[in-house]
Amino acid sequence: TFTDETPPPIDPCQEDPTLPECQPVEPPIEPDSWNWVEVPNSAMDVVKIPAIDESQLYTDVGAFASWEMIQKAESGADCADGSLYVTGGGHADGAHNGVLALNVESMEWRRVMEPSPLLMNSDGNIIGYHNGDRIPGDYTCPDWNCNLGPDGQPTAQHTYDLLTSDSEYLYMMGGSAWKKGSRGHSPSAFRMPIGGSAWEPITDAMPDGTIITKPNGSAHHIGGEIYLLNGNGWFIYNIDLDQWSRRSRLAGWSNLSTTEYEPVSGTFLSIGNGRAVVTSLGEFGVSWEAIEAPQRLIDGRNFGMLAYEGLSYIWDTGRNVDVYNPVTRDWSVLEPGGANPGEDLKNGAFGRFSH
């Protein structure tokens, strides 16, 4: 399954057995009690500036180009430098490419990147960020699937679980472009400096020119590399080299599955859309092992999933949270008190369930 240009991944524990992730793992201890707590004044529309934002109304398809649409547009999120970064739009859910960050100490939102100005057609109607040859002026798009607007910023995207970060950058490794639902044209992978306010494109193709990003999937930063699973396959992006390498893809795996990396045990868990499988970091793209799991999780898709102190937590947008222990391979269910945060969440939590 590997070509001469694609060497198999190296198990870091073989190179350096003293690494923390290579030490024997004790079964984690589950917290005794959990409670959902609603953060006051935490709705995304608290960042609105009426004089600026009320003009960003998109009426053709009943969607708003406004900040609160981010949470309804299958958006992803990632925690970096004490903040939860969120962005998302796409399809007819929201013609909005702005970025917000929630400070996890003050629990206040701030505007990180302002939304690009909406474009208008020759009739003077707001049409979103791109719309083929209907856009007047010098900026043209070959079809409806443009990923880059005239201001050089990515257009509105469903970001799903495709946001990840390191200590310097927030990364967006694909997504679903506004209106058509396609990945669209290159560039389709971006990074934003932590503390910055604009995206910059990064390599989104193999050395042979094959585009690797797709609308849906899952991205994970691990040790200077980004592990990406999507409908095109499984890939590893070397950040320093700005270069991708391809890995084998598990037959039958779907990008509608949810995947998370648990660093204490060094385990990837992928679940949903018909299967539940695990693999180690060194075996990524080489072999996966089927595991037993609750049938409703195997049959479901687009969960929120996070790793915390040796356990994987899967949130199916209801009150309860499923817990997987990668050492014992046991499942349990947390039944938190407090409000039910999933009452109005219809389309999945994706990367917005974060730690």
Side-chain angles (χ1 to χ4, degrees):
T1 57
F2 294 99
T3 66
D4 291 339
E5 293 78 22
T6 308
I10 298 174
D11 186 347
C13 294
Q14 291 182 353
E15 293 190 330
D16 185 0
T18 65
L19 291 172
E21 59 265 33
C22 304
Q23 307 312 303
V25 178
E26 295 294 330
I29 299 174
E30 296 182 18
D32 292 330
S33 63
W34 290 71
N35 285 284
W36 290 108
V37 178
E38 183 175 354
V39 179
N41 301 314
S42 60
M44 291 181 179
D45 59 2
V46 300
V47 302
K48 275 187 175 180
I49 302 174
I52 297 174
D53 296 321
E54 286 182 1
S55 64
Q56 303 282 49
L57 181 66
Y58 183 85
T59 56
D60 256 6
V61 291
F64 293 88
S66 56
W67 293 102
E68 66 264 34
M69 286 307 301
I70 291 176
Q71 64 199 38
K72 301 176 182 179
E74 303 188 5
S75 55
D78 194 70
C79 284
D81 195 33
S83 293
L84 179 70
Y85 287 82
V86 186
T87 186
H91 301 285
D93 292 330
H96 196 293
N97 66 345
V99 181
L100 290 178
L102 179 72
N103 184 299
V104 297
E105 291 189 2
S106 67
M107 289 297 172
E108 294 179 345
W109 289 105
R110 64 182 175 89
R111 299 162 74 124
V112 174
M113 187 185 96
E114 290 297 306
S116 299
L118 290 176
L119 301 175
M120 304 183 73
N121 64 15
S122 57
D123 299 325
N125 297 316
I126 295 174
I127 57 175
Y129 290 107
H130 50 78
N131 213 5
D133 57 6
R134 294 172 61 195
I135 298 175
D138 296 331
Y139 176 72
T140 58
C141 175
D143 56 33
W144 287 46
N145 297 329
C146 291
N147 292 326
L148 208 61
D151 60 356
Q153 293 303 297
T155 55
Q157 312 282 338
H158 278 357
T159 46
Y160 304 110
D161 195 21
L162 292 165
L163 296 180
T164 189
S165 62
D166 58 20
S167 60
E168 297 183 71
Y169 291 95
L170 178 70
Y171 297 88
M172 180 166 58
M173 310 305 275
S176 191
W178 189 88
K179 192 66 177 176
K180 274 281 190 154
S182 169
R183 175 58 263 167
H185 305 290
S186 184
S188 56
F190 301 86
R191 69 181 185 180
M192 175 186 292
I194 302 298
S197 59
W199 296 99
E200 56 190 49
I202 59 176
T203 300
D204 62 358
M206 296 287 292
D208 64 3
T210 302
I211 303 295
I212 58 89
T213 51
K214 286 286 278 187
N216 202 345
S218 184
H220 311 273
H221 172 262
I222 306 168
E225 296 179 312
I226 294 176
Y227 289 69
L228 177 67
L229 305 88
N230 64 27
N232 275 341
W234 297 338
F235 305 88
I236 299 178
Y237 173 69
N238 186 299
I239 294 173
D240 289 338
L241 298 178
D242 190 27
Q243 184 173 336
W244 290 93
S245 59
R246 187 189 300 272
R247 297 294 178 259
S248 300
R249 179 184 177 193
L250 176 67
W253 182 89
S254 169
N255 59 349
L256 298 176
S257 302
T258 298
T259 304
E260 186 59 67
Y261 177 69
E262 197 291 296
V264 177
S265 63
T267 302
F268 284 95
L269 168 64
S270 185
I271 192 167
N273 209 48
R275 61 178 59 217
V277 295
V278 294
T279 190
S280 66
L281 183 63
E283 290 291 304
F284 177 84
V286 177
S287 65
W288 290 75
E289 180 184 356
I291 61 170
E292 294 184 357
Q295 193 62 45
R296 58 184 171 76
L297 295 181
I298 293 176
D299 294 338
R301 64 187 193 180
N302 296 334
F303 306 124
M305 190 187 305
L306 61 83
Y308 175 66
E309 294 190 350
L311 297 171
S312 294
Y313 293 80
I314 298 95
W315 182 41
D316 189 17
T317 69
R319 179 187 300 275
N320 295 340
V321 178
D322 291 273
V323 184
Y324 175 69
N325 185 319
V327 177
T328 65
R329 298 200 171 183
D330 292 329
W331 289 87
S332 58
V333 177
L334 292 178
E335 299 181 357
N340 182 354
E343 265 184 327
D344 299 320
L345 197 58
K346 307 299 184 186
N347 296 325
F350 303 101
R352 299 195 303 278
F353 188 50
S354 189
H355 168 258

